[in-house]
Amino acid sequence: MFSNDLYASMDHSLMPEGSLGREACDYLLDTVQRSILFWDVIRQRGTNYIAHINDDQPPVLVFDYDTILDAREFDRPTNYSLVKIKNRRLSQAAGDKQGDADDLQETESPYKRPLVIIDPRAGHGPGIGGSKELSEIGMALNQGHPVYFVMFFTYPMPGQTLADVKNAEIRFLEEVRRRHPKAAKPVVIGNCQGGWASAILSADRPDLVGPLVLNGAPLSYWSGVDGKNPMRYKGGLLGGVWLNSLMSDMSNGMFDGANLVWNMEMLNPANTYWKKEYNLYAKVDTEKDRYLNFERWWGGFFWMTKEEIHRIVDGLFIGNQLVRGTFEMADGSRIDLKNIEGPVVVFASEGDNITPPQQALNWIPQVYDSVDEIRRQKQVVVYIVHPKIGHLGIFVASSIAQKETKEIIGSVEMLEYLSPGLYELIIDEEPNKNGNNDYKVRFEPREMEDILALDDGFDDEEPFGHVQALSELMDRYYNAYLSPFVQSLSSEYTREIFRLLHPLRVQRYGFSDLNPGMVGVKTLAPYVVENRKEAPSTNMFRKMESAVAESVENMWNLYRDLRDMGQEIMFQGIYHNPVVHHLFPDPGTTPEREAEKAKAKAQQAISQKADRAALVAKLESGDYGEALIRMLLAVIGADGSIDEKEMKHAETIIRERRRLQKMKPSELKAIVVEQSRILQTDFDGAIKALPKMMSRKVDRKRAFALAESVSTADGELHENEARVLDQIKAALAL
């Protein structure tokens, strides 16, 4: 039936090439074969799912690793561990030498900054940040960084809390610092949920974290654009956090991560119910491996304790407490994002429907009153917004890894030498000498208005405070009256029943080798592959199929749009109601909270005046080293853009100065930050004060020549750079 020989032996004289009958026969054979191959891939997905579970769902990393710390053995155990990724190039070098692990360690630079990746624990398992060679881990290894990975196991430890997880990760970072005493503080990359976990970690222990990279990470949970970001309304329409408590109680105190995955899948029903599977069916000859590799991660469902999911939903998604500065953990620590000391890079995308740019970026204007406050905090915040990549693509797509991820990791050393402030990272394609595309990186200074322009204002966030109040009330009632009853009916058996009956699991094991009905597909598939005859894309019926598939997808999208519109109208109808406002006042606008905000604002005004006075007093302080750094910074920022080539050239100049060479990196960075702040406070005064810092004419000439060389490091001298050079030259009387 499926043999090419049989097909070739048929008399096609009545159906010449291109005739309707011939195309119909070609399509019929093709679609029958594709159907068998499609269902065989679905069978393999289910069988792989079972094998993955039986193997305790290991991370989907393609890199080898060694376990460094296992938090399951801590005094307050958690289901986390710290592993070190093996660099295959170093392993090969060690093998060539026939050496041992000590030989390998010697080939790794002790001065290279380590990098720690924290993957999301939001229903799925760990490893997506290193599931292919072209990934975050791959890019970091290519640039010589020692790479560590924070992984976790399927089930949490009994009594595990969010604070326990944070404290375990603190111990991980302490161990990384201990293993790399000569290197700078590690870069921490947080993907999605791992992003806000990394931000909490950085705010609680800023002494352990260097540059912080947040990829598709939500920090401002109420933000979004009306008519575009419907996921934020779910909590209000479901009555708040009590439903998570109910689901945890039904599973004997554990929350099934498959429920979180289900929520994500329902965001785009066209993809869930049609597009993903149709894409496999239409391209079954080439899509099999990619589909199965992704499904291995997507179908690995991990659990949380009731306390963990309750604190996450109540404190973050419904309470929005991170940006409000009121997020407290079980160990008593209160998280203030202003405590983050290292540079922060935020990577968002317009195509992300799970963490839209507003949720990734609005924490910046909500935590800091202005860019001037960022500068006073001596903080560097950088953001980059991709025009179309989806949520998972931010930390999975190979195209992103080879461009944005590569350049972000390649720029981490430069971040700490940027003048404090807010920047947008711009990556331009630049053909190199070999005709291949390379990338030119620059940092464009930005104002808060640039971030606010991505949103439609904060007025639409006002109802969410009333959602929080209602959620707290509903949760109290549930815990007082219903929770004890539900818990009395729950056990390990009920949890197992709910686990097995979850739709996302049924659709996997239901079409695995456990199902006798799949035997026929498994038997026929190899024969079909051997005798495959694909209808060409020009086939009339293939074109009709594509058109029908597109129509089905459009119908699902129409359903999604109508559903989202209805939910938004319902949400606004409920929570814009003055009666609801009166019954459930926003806990964040209480008189005590408003008094606390007013006090903080008054203290900030005093601090602002004191900061300016202190910087003005230092206008003439310092010697040749400080003056040189001030001049270089003035020239680099003159054209309104911080160019990577100019920064690297300036860094080379600074490190060649004898006095500056003796400084610790932290001392040098402190001088750079101080001189940056002096220039930001009184640029003209800072330039006029240069002669007081360099009395010898030979020093002035040498410093000016170095400043000139930096101005042309990017291949051109901009008008503003020339103007600043003239201003410096006049001040130095050269």
Side-chain angles (χ1 to χ4, degrees):
M1 176 179 178
F2 307 108
S3 169
N4 281 339
D5 294 336
L6 177 62
Y7 184 81
S9 66
M10 295 173 61
D11 183 5
H12 296 295
S13 60
L14 298 178
M15 294 184 295
E17 194 75 36
S19 66
L20 181 63
R22 179 65 175 273
E23 292 206 345
C25 288
D26 289 347
Y27 176 76
L28 179 62
L29 177 61
D30 174 57
T31 194
V32 170
Q33 289 183 334
R34 276 191 290 146
S35 298
I36 293 172
L37 295 178
F38 169 82
W39 283 109
D40 187 58
V41 174
I42 297 300
R43 175 194 64 80
Q44 291 180 58
R45 179 186 72 163
T47 303
N48 291 348
Y49 164 74
I50 295 172
H52 194 52
I53 290 178
N54 292 337
D55 200 24
D56 293 330
Q57 300 195 126
V60 294
L61 295 170
V62 298
F63 300 90
D64 297 328
Y65 58 86
D66 293 318
T67 300
I68 305 301
L69 288 176
D70 190 337
R72 293 175 296 182
E73 301 172 357
F74 290 178
D75 292 337
R76 288 286 302 176
T78 67
N79 64 328
Y80 279 71
S81 68
L82 175 70
V83 303
K84 188 175 190 297
I85 304 298
K86 292 183 178 180
N87 191 324
R88 291 175 179 171
R89 292 174 302 175
L90 299 184
S91 299
Q92 182 64 43
D96 293 342
K97 295 178 182 179
Q98 296 183 344
D100 55 16
D102 292 333
D103 296 324
L104 175 59
Q105 186 66 29
E106 289 176 2
T107 64
E108 187 176 83
S109 171
Y111 301 100
K112 195 69 174 179
R113 188 194 295 265
L115 188 143
V116 180
I117 296 176
I118 302 179
D119 255 4
R121 183 171 166 237
H124 302 106
I128 196 65
S131 58
K132 57 180 77 171
E133 290 285 345
L134 296 176
S135 61
E136 294 169 343
I137 291 178
M139 294 301 104
L141 290 176
N142 288 345
Q143 297 183 42
H145 291 278
V147 179
Y148 293 83
F149 186 79
V150 175
M151 58 176 282
F152 44 89
F153 303 94
T154 304
Y155 293 99
M157 302 300 289
Q160 178 175 310
T161 68
L162 208 59
D164 294 332
V165 173
K166 179 207 66 174
N167 292 330
E169 291 172 342
I170 287 174
R171 285 191 59 179
F172 293 165
L173 290 181
E174 289 174 340
E175 176 63 17
V176 172
R177 292 285 284 151
R178 187 191 69 79
R179 295 168 67 90
H180 300 271
K182 297 180 181 180
K185 290 189 288 188
V187 180
V188 176
I189 297 180
N191 297 322
C192 187
Q193 179 270 352
W196 59 253
S198 302
I200 289 174
L201 184 63
S202 301
D204 192 54
R205 287 295 303 274
D207 58 307
L208 295 176
V209 181
L212 173 65
V213 181
L214 306 175
N215 291 327
L219 292 181
S220 184
Y221 303 90
W222 295 353
S223 295
V225 176
D226 282 345
K228 192 175 179 181
N229 304 125
M231 194 174 187
R232 57 185 177 149
Y233 302 123
K234 296 289 186 183
L237 294 176
L238 295 174
V241 71
W242 76 273
L243 189 60
N244 298 99
S245 299
L246 171 63
M247 298 177 77
S248 298
D249 286 341
M250 291 169 62
S251 293
N252 201 33
M254 302 266 277
F255 183 82
D256 189 355
N259 296 312
L260 299 177
V261 179
W262 181 260
N263 283 339
M264 286 185 272
E265 291 212 342
M266 289 303 99
L267 273 176
N268 190 354
N271 186 69
T272 299
Y273 292 122
W274 180 256
K275 185 178 179 180
K276 183 170 68 171
E277 266 63 41
Y278 174 73
N279 186 61
L280 171 64
Y281 171 74
K283 305 174 184 177
V284 70
D285 299 292
T286 57
E287 278 291 295
K288 172 184 172 181
D289 291 340
R290 188 205 63 80
Y291 180 87
L292 290 177
N293 287 336
F294 177 78
E295 286 294 311
R296 181 168 173 258
W297 174 74
W298 189 256
F301 309 117
F302 283 58
W303 294 69
M304 296 183 184
T305 63
K306 178 181 178 180
E307 190 280 340
E308 286 181 293
I309 190 64
H310 188 280
R311 194 71 199 97
I312 291 170
V313 174
D314 180 57
L316 300 180
F317 289 91
I318 290 180
N320 203 31
Q321 293 173 2
L322 265 184
V323 297
R324 288 186 154 196
T326 58
F327 188 70
E328 294 185 3
M329 309 197 80
D331 60 357
S333 57
R334 183 170 177 173
I335 305 302
D336 185 351
L337 295 180
K338 288 184 180 180
N339 290 337
I340 298 176
E341 294 179 358
V344 181
V345 179
V346 182
F347 186 6
S349 173
E350 292 281 4
D352 189 343
N353 65 342
I354 294 177
T355 305
Q358 298 77 24
Q359 292 187 11
L361 294 171
N362 277 1
W363 68 272
I364 302 170
Q366 290 173 335
V367 170
Y368 300 102
D369 287 339
S370 63
V371 173
D372 188 57
E373 185 182 2
I374 295 178
R375 292 168 179 159
R376 290 199 308 274
Q377 294 280 343
K378 300 179 181 178
Q379 179 59 279
V380 172
V381 180
V382 178
Y383 69 91
I384 176 172
V385 180
H386 194 278
K388 62 180 181 180
I389 196 71
H391 179 72
L392 292 177
I394 292 176
F395 38 90
V396 175
S398 298
S399 59
I400 296 297
Q402 294 178 87
K403 183 180 179 182
E404 284 83 0
T405 301
K406 173 187 172 184
E407 298 303 330
I408 288 172
I409 294 175
S411 302
V412 292
E413 299 301 335
M414 188 168 63
L415 293 174
E416 294 182 318
Y417 291 96
L418 288 176
S419 299
L422 176 65
Y423 300 88
E424 181 177 4
L425 175 61
I426 308 294
I427 304 175
D428 297 319
E429 292 191 3
E430 184 179 56
N432 60 27
K433 294 179 180 179
N434 297 323
N436 299 319
N437 277 333
D438 203 349
Y439 299 106
K440 179 180 179 181
V441 174
R442 53 193 169 89
F443 297 86
E444 296 277 359
R446 293 290 184 255
E447 298 296 329
M448 290 299 186
E449 289 73 19
D450 295 300
I451 291 179
L452 297 176
L454 299 171
D455 202 351
D456 54 0
F458 290 152
D459 291 343
D460 60 346
E461 297 185 19
E462 188 268 340
F464 291 93
H466 308 293
V467 172
Q468 181 187 2
L470 175 62
S471 173
E472 292 175 354
L473 180 64
M474 295 282 286
D475 194 46
R476 284 198 297 270
Y477 274 109
Y478 170 77
N479 288 324
Y481 299 109
L482 282 179
S483 181
F485 174 71
V486 176
Q487 289 180 18
S488 69
L489 300 177
S490 299
S491 66
E492 295 294 324
Y493 298 105
T494 59
R495 180 169 69 202
E496 187 65 11
I497 290 172
F498 286 121
R499 185 186 74 85
L500 291 174
L501 293 180
H502 197 285
L504 292 182
R505 292 189 176 91
V506 172
Q507 66 179 243
R508 285 170 168 79
Y509 68 71
F511 294 95
S512 69
D513 285 342
L514 294 178
N515 184 348
M518 303 303 290
V519 172
V521 171
K522 182 179 181 180
T523 303
L524 288 173
Y527 187 70
V528 170
V529 171
E530 184 180 348
N531 296 276
R532 180 79 171 101
K533 183 172 178 59
E534 182 180 5
S537 59
T538 56
N539 184 287
M540 176 192 305
F541 295 94
R542 284 296 298 264
K543 291 180 179 179
M544 291 172 60
E545 175 193 297
S546 298
V548 171
E550 186 176 353
S551 298
V552 173
E553 182 182 351
N554 290 337
M555 286 190 292
W556 275 112
N557 287 336
L558 176 61
Y559 157 74
R560 177 202 62 200
D561 294 342
L562 292 174
R563 178 201 66 186
D564 294 347
M565 185 187 305
Q567 290 178 352
E568 183 170 340
I569 292 172
M570 185 183 301
F571 178 90
Q572 292 177 348
I574 295 172
Y575 292 102
H576 277 285
N577 191 318
V579 176
V580 173
H581 292 189
H582 177 73
L583 294 175
F584 307 104
D586 182 355
T589 58
T590 60
E592 295 80 6
R593 180 63 178 155
E594 293 301 319
E596 186 179 337
K597 290 180 182 178
K599 182 179 178 181
K601 199 165 187 177
Q603 290 176 340
Q604 183 179 323
I606 296 173
S607 174
Q608 183 176 357
K609 292 181 180 179
D611 182 64
R612 178 177 177 80
L615 291 170
V616 170
K618 294 180 179 179
L619 280 175
E620 299 178 359
S621 299
D623 54 17
Y624 177 81
E626 283 82 357
L628 174 61
I629 290 175
R630 184 182 298 183
M631 291 168 61
L632 296 179
L633 291 171
V635 171
I636 290 172
D639 61 351
S641 175
I642 312 299
D643 186 86
E644 180 183 29
K645 292 180 180 178
E646 292 181 345
M647 285 290 291
K648 288 184 176 180
H649 185 59
E651 182 183 2
T652 301
I653 291 173
I654 291 172
R655 294 192 180 281
E656 289 176 351
R657 301 308 102 190
R658 186 175 304 171
R659 172 181 169 253
L660 299 177
Q661 283 178 344
K662 298 177 181 179
M663 287 185 176
K664 295 179 180 178
S666 58
E667 295 173 337
L668 179 59
K669 290 170 187 174
I671 292 177
V672 171
V673 170
E674 182 177 78
Q675 294 304 316
S676 298
R677 291 292 295 124
I678 289 173
L679 286 167
Q680 290 171 347
T681 302
D682 186 355
F683 185 89
D684 292 337
I687 299 301
K688 290 178 181 178
L690 287 173
K692 299 288 183 67
M693 304 167 71
M694 290 186 294
S695 57
R696 297 195 310 164
K697 193 167 186 177
V698 63
D699 290 338
R700 297 180 186 181
K701 286 184 176 181
R702 186 186 304 118
F704 184 76
L706 293 173
E708 276 189 313
S709 69
V710 167
S711 67
T712 56
D714 61 348
E716 55 183 322
L717 178 64
H718 296 275
E719 181 180 346
N720 287 340
E721 290 175 333
R723 180 183 58 78
V724 170
L725 284 172
D726 289 341
Q727 186 177 357
I728 294 174
K729 189 174 183 179
L732 296 177
L734 296 177

